Amino acid sequence: MLGLYYDGGLELRRDLPVPEPGPGEALIKVMAAGICNTDKEIARGYMDFKGIPGHEFVGVVTAADDPDLVGKRVVGEINCPCGICYLCLGGKENHCRERNTLGISGRDGAFAEYMTLPVSNLHVVPDTMPLYSAVFVEPLAACFRITEQVHISPSHRVAVLGAGKLGLMAAQVIRLNGCAVLAVGRHAHKLKILDRLGIKTVMEKDLDIRERFDVVIESSGSPDGFNLARSLVEPGGTIVQKSTFVEPLSVDISSLVVDEIRVVGSRCGPFEPAIRALMRGLVHVQELIDRRFPLEMGMQAFEYAMRDEALKVILEMKTYPAEGLRQPGELAEDSII
Amino acid sequence: MLGLYYDGGLELRRDLPVPEPGPGEALIKVMAAGICNTDKEIARGYMDFKGIPGHEFVGVVTAADDPDLVGKRVVGEINCPCGICYLCLGGKENHCRERNTLGISGRDGAFAEYMTLPVSNLHVVPDTMPLYSAVFVEPLAACFRITEQVHISPSHRVAVLGAGKLGLMAAQVIRLNGCAVLAVGRHAHKLKILDRLGIKTVMEKDLDIRERFDVVIESSGSPDGFNLARSLVEPGGTIVQKSTFVEPLSVDISSLVVDEIRVVGSRCGPFEPAIRALMRGLVHVQELIDRRFPLEMGMQAFEYAMRDEALKVILEMKTYPAEGLRQPGELAEDSII
């Protein structure tokens, strides 16, 4: 099959074997997949990954033990835990030490025609959800992880650092709590998306450095973001750290103690709230789509996505067969987008 | 009056003026004061402090607007906030930007015969509390700050790093919650204090590096402590950072994100729970007293306290007058200690 493959360098390959689903796994025909910042980091060597990257996807189940699942359009959680260790049994499956992670660690991902994933990871997407909204379920779930971990009160002042894909969604999710949100970015055309939604924005260079926030969401994707977050957070406040990067960071720990700052690392989140929010139109995601590329142009898609100005780049698997499967995604694509 | 004075170097001075209490302040005759790690840092230049250090004290009020307070034995909260800014009005007085802090920043402290403090900072010590227990109210309150900030469940496994004064008290406070506590230290004679109280201890060099904890209290006082805490904390767990030090630290922020670690800076705490715990005998503090020095030997006391092996060093102000004041501390000192 066709797919992108990383092994020290990224390449488009036509000779990849269609994966065999293991016990409890489904075979999924990928319809569309989003390129995430983590994918870009992987293409730079993050996680020492080898294989097919990609973890934001929507696809159709083509084989599974449960016949009812076949033909269904699904999205999927990316962590595949062992299910039997004390972390799994204690409800921390996403932190299982034996886990592999779709397209990130130990498991081939979604930038190919077919992929596999345990059935227990799958969430059926409502038929009326547009194909290109479904691609955002995974990163949107990561935004709902913030409010799962940290109580954001309607009286809080919250700053969201970074107007990339994650920041643009996080600002919308945080706003649902009724609090005052300020989104801080470096690209006017990205902030404009939030302006149109009525969310207050400011260019980082124009930020009033005397302003302080109860909660700062660090989703800038840049190591500088942490220290900016530190300078913006109120004493007793919280920094939610979303960005990952390879370099270690020099941190003034004493200042965290004196000001009693709380730093909360935040990763993957719950899918169902993300699906509900999309279905109810509470979060706008299609505005974040910058450009769609067919899988055949995967290399160009990555090159395009690497630009600082880029927003969400989506790979489309146009070759999916019509072997009698219902393909609501196609319908959605034609009729709704 | 006699006192220790820091101005780029610490010295004993006999020419210090007795302080004048300002509006709403009490004049306090210091009876005893503890040397804390922060004092040792101040003597090394931390906070650029200039003046009389010392913030762990017990003393007798010799002048105050409220005549009922005169003659009372008191301990005192160390942060003196402005009372009118939005942080003060929002219940974050300890983080007031206009605050001064007893013996740490902008206000002379307790290593002298007399000191002043706002009456609103004072807590009257029950007559039956021994003098040398009362000296521990302030640092013990800082331990109760931990459970004020972080919910420690009886099912949690908690590690306390550092068997200095703070760690030895923190381990006892944390244990009150019913959880499993392991205290990690570098000095066998300090850990022995907890052994005798039935708290599990281990020398850092003998630590099983495969063990993981839901909560790690970092009270080692050393920059190494943070990375040890990081390696010991369970995914999804919490590091409570108590230690302050001058140097910035190199931190792997991505690992905090991937493992969703929560880092909570923790400083000063509530006095009343500390007083209650001491009165009920729930926390043992007198075992932590290493040596008492008269104020005249303040320089030798600091030199002694600077040693890694030292535990709590107390300065005694033996010269307090007997001008008709009731002095329950003296009674306690003679009869109970």
Side-chain angles (χ1 to χ4, degrees):
Chain A
M1 66 175 183
L2 189 68
L4 288 170
Y5 196 88
Y6 181 83
D7 184 8
L10 192 71
E11 56 173 347
L12 184 75
R13 283 174 55 172
R14 293 173 191 282
D15 61 344
L16 294 169
V18 172
E20 293 274 334
E25 292 187 347
L27 181 66
I28 299 158
K29 181 96 187 72
V30 183
M31 301 167 77
I35 297 178
C36 161
N37 276 1
T38 305
D39 300 318
K40 298 197 266 175
E41 289 289 313
I42 281 171
R44 293 188 186 108
Y46 179 60
M47 298 297 289
D48 290 324
F49 179 72
K50 178 181 170 176
I52 301 167
H55 58 275
E56 301 178 357
F57 75 94
V58 55
V60 172
V61 175
T62 59
D65 288 344
D66 176 0
D68 285 351
L69 201 58
V70 175
K72 288 284 196 313
R73 197 169 56 142
V74 294
V75 292
E77 301 196 37
I78 70 176
N79 296 288
C80 305
C82 74
I84 55 168
C85 71
Y86 76 99
L87 284 164
C88 286
L89 298 175
K92 292 186 177 177
E93 299 88 346
N94 281 355
H95 292 290
C96 169
R97 289 201 187 86
E98 304 299 319
R99 76 184 183 276
N100 56 52
T101 308
L102 185 71
I104 295 176
S105 170
R107 173 179 281 267
D108 279 335
F111 295 156
E113 289 180 87
Y114 288 90
M115 55 172 278
T116 62
L117 209 54
V119 166
S120 54
N121 283 44
L122 302 180
H123 295 256
V124 173
V125 176
D127 286 353
T128 51
M129 183 185 291
L131 179 68
Y132 298 113
S133 293
V135 178
F136 286 93
V137 169
E138 196 278 335
L140 184 57
C143 297
F144 278 100
R145 179 64 178 155
I146 297 169
T147 44
E148 203 173 46
Q149 293 177 288
V150 175
H151 174 216
I152 293 182
S153 143
S155 306
H156 276 158
R157 291 152 300 163
V158 182
V160 177
L161 304 190
K165 289 90 68 185
L166 196 64
L168 294 176
M169 281 185 280
Q172 296 182 65
V173 167
I174 298 300
R175 179 170 65 158
L176 296 175
N177 288 34
C179 54
V181 176
L182 177 69
V184 183
R186 292 182 179 174
H187 296 278
H189 72 285
K190 298 184 183 179
L191 291 174
K192 197 155 246 171
I193 295 169
L194 295 180
D195 289 339
R196 283 194 211 102
L197 296 171
I199 292 176
K200 211 176 141 192
T201 66
V202 66
M203 290 287 279
E204 189 180 317
K205 63 180 172 54
D206 300 327
L207 191 59
D208 178 350
I209 55 162
R210 291 162 309 181
E211 266 199 275
R212 292 292 178 276
F213 300 87
D214 302 292
V215 180
V216 180
I217 314 296
E218 205 301 88
S219 51
S220 72
S222 145
D224 308 335
F226 183 83
N227 288 321
L228 178 58
R230 175 62 196 91
S231 70
L232 289 174
V233 74
E234 193 75 275
T238 301
I239 298 170
V240 179
Q241 179 69 26
K242 276 286 181 191
S243 306
T244 52
F245 27 80
V246 181
E247 311 83 359
L249 202 67
S250 177
V251 175
D252 178 357
I253 292 277
S254 295
S255 102
L256 299 180
V257 174
V258 170
D259 282 347
E260 297 194 314
I261 304 302
R262 199 174 277 252
V263 180
V264 180
S266 179
R267 193 166 42 100
C268 299
F271 271 45
E272 291 302 325
I275 292 172
R276 284 194 291 270
L278 288 173
M279 289 306 291
R280 295 173 56 200
L282 296 176
V283 179
H284 294 245
V285 293
Q286 300 213 6
E287 290 84 339
L288 309 191
I289 298 174
D290 188 322
R291 202 158 159 180
R292 287 151 33 189
F293 289 84
L295 178 59
E296 290 87 339
M297 291 179 68
M299 296 300 291
Q300 292 92 324
F302 256 81
E303 198 179 317
Y304 185 88
M306 286 288 189
R307 295 156 48 251
D308 268 356
E309 315 84 76
L311 271 166
K312 181 62 77 188
V313 173
I314 289 179
L315 293 174
E316 298 176 295
M317 287 59 173
K318 284 291 190 192
T319 55
Y320 45 85
E323 300 131 12
L325 291 180
R326 198 166 116 272
Q327 292 175 0
E330 286 198 330
L331 174 68
E333 179 184 350
D334 297 340
S335 59
I336 305 188
I337 294 215
Chain B
M1 67 176 184
L2 189 68
L4 288 169
Y5 196 88
Y6 181 83
D7 184 9
L10 193 69
E11 56 173 345
L12 184 74
R13 283 174 55 173
R14 293 176 190 279
D15 61 343
L16 295 168
V18 172
E20 291 274 332
E25 291 187 348
L27 181 66
I28 298 159
K29 179 97 189 70
V30 184
M31 300 168 78
I35 297 178
C36 160
N37 275 1
T38 306
D39 299 318
K40 298 196 267 176
E41 288 290 312
I42 282 172
R44 292 187 187 107
Y46 179 61
M47 300 294 290
D48 291 324
F49 179 72
K50 178 181 169 177
I52 301 168
H55 57 277
E56 302 178 356
F57 75 94
V58 54
V60 171
V61 175
T62 58
D65 287 344
D66 177 0
D68 284 352
L69 202 57
V70 176
K72 288 283 196 313
R73 200 168 56 142
V74 295
V75 292
E77 302 196 36
I78 69 175
N79 296 288
C80 305
C82 75
I84 54 169
C85 72
Y86 77 100
L87 285 164
C88 286
L89 298 175
K92 291 186 177 178
E93 297 90 346
N94 281 354
H95 292 289
C96 170
R97 288 199 188 87
E98 303 299 319
R99 76 183 182 276
N100 57 53
T101 308
L102 185 71
I104 294 176
S105 170
R107 173 180 281 268
D108 280 333
F111 294 157
E113 289 180 86
Y114 287 89
M115 55 173 279
T116 62
L117 209 54
V119 166
S120 55
N121 282 46
L122 301 181
H123 295 257
V124 173
V125 175
D127 286 351
T128 52
M129 184 186 288
L131 179 70
Y132 297 112
S133 294
V135 177
F136 287 93
V137 168
E138 197 279 334
L140 184 57
C143 297
F144 278 100
R145 180 63 178 157
I146 298 169
T147 45
E148 201 173 47
Q149 292 178 290
V150 176
H151 175 216
I152 293 182
S153 142
S155 306
H156 277 158
R157 292 151 299 163
V158 182
V160 177
L161 305 190
K165 288 91 66 186
L166 197 64
L168 294 176
M169 282 186 280
Q172 296 182 65
V173 166
I174 300 301
R175 178 170 66 158
L176 297 175
N177 287 34
C179 54
V181 176
L182 179 67
V184 183
R186 292 181 177 174
H187 296 279
H189 72 285
K190 297 183 183 180
L191 291 174
K192 196 155 248 173
I193 295 169
L194 295 180
D195 289 340
R196 282 194 212 105
L197 296 170
I199 292 176
K200 212 175 140 191
T201 67
V202 66
M203 289 288 280
E204 189 180 317
K205 63 179 173 53
D206 300 329
L207 192 60
D208 179 350
I209 56 162
R210 292 163 308 181
E211 265 198 274
R212 290 292 177 277
F213 300 86
D214 302 292
V215 179
V216 180
I217 315 295
E218 205 299 88
S219 49
S220 72
S222 146
D224 308 337
F226 183 83
N227 288 320
L228 177 59
R230 175 63 197 90
S231 70
L232 289 175
V233 74
E234 194 74 276
T238 301
I239 298 171
V240 178
Q241 180 71 26
K242 277 286 181 189
S243 307
T244 53
F245 28 79
V246 181
E247 311 83 358
L249 204 67
S250 177
V251 175
D252 179 358
I253 292 277
S254 295
S255 102
L256 298 181
V257 174
V258 170
D259 283 347
E260 296 194 315
I261 304 302
R262 198 174 277 251
V263 180
V264 180
S266 179
R267 193 164 44 99
C268 300
F271 271 45
E272 291 302 325
I275 292 172
R276 284 194 291 270
L278 288 173
M279 288 307 292
R280 294 174 56 201
L282 296 175
V283 179
H284 293 243
V285 292
Q286 300 215 4
E287 290 83 339
L288 309 190
I289 299 173
D290 188 322
R291 199 156 160 183
R292 287 150 35 188
F293 288 84
L295 178 59
E296 289 87 338
M297 291 179 67
M299 296 300 291
Q300 291 92 324
F302 257 82
E303 198 180 315
Y304 185 89
M306 286 289 190
R307 296 155 49 247
D308 269 356
E309 314 86 75
L311 272 165
K312 181 61 78 188
V313 173
I314 289 179
L315 292 174
E316 298 177 293
M317 288 60 174
K318 282 293 190 191
T319 55
Y320 43 84
E323 298 132 12
L325 292 179
R326 203 166 111 270
Q327 291 176 359
E330 287 197 331
L331 174 70
E333 179 184 352
D334 296 340
S335 60
I336 305 188
I337 291 210

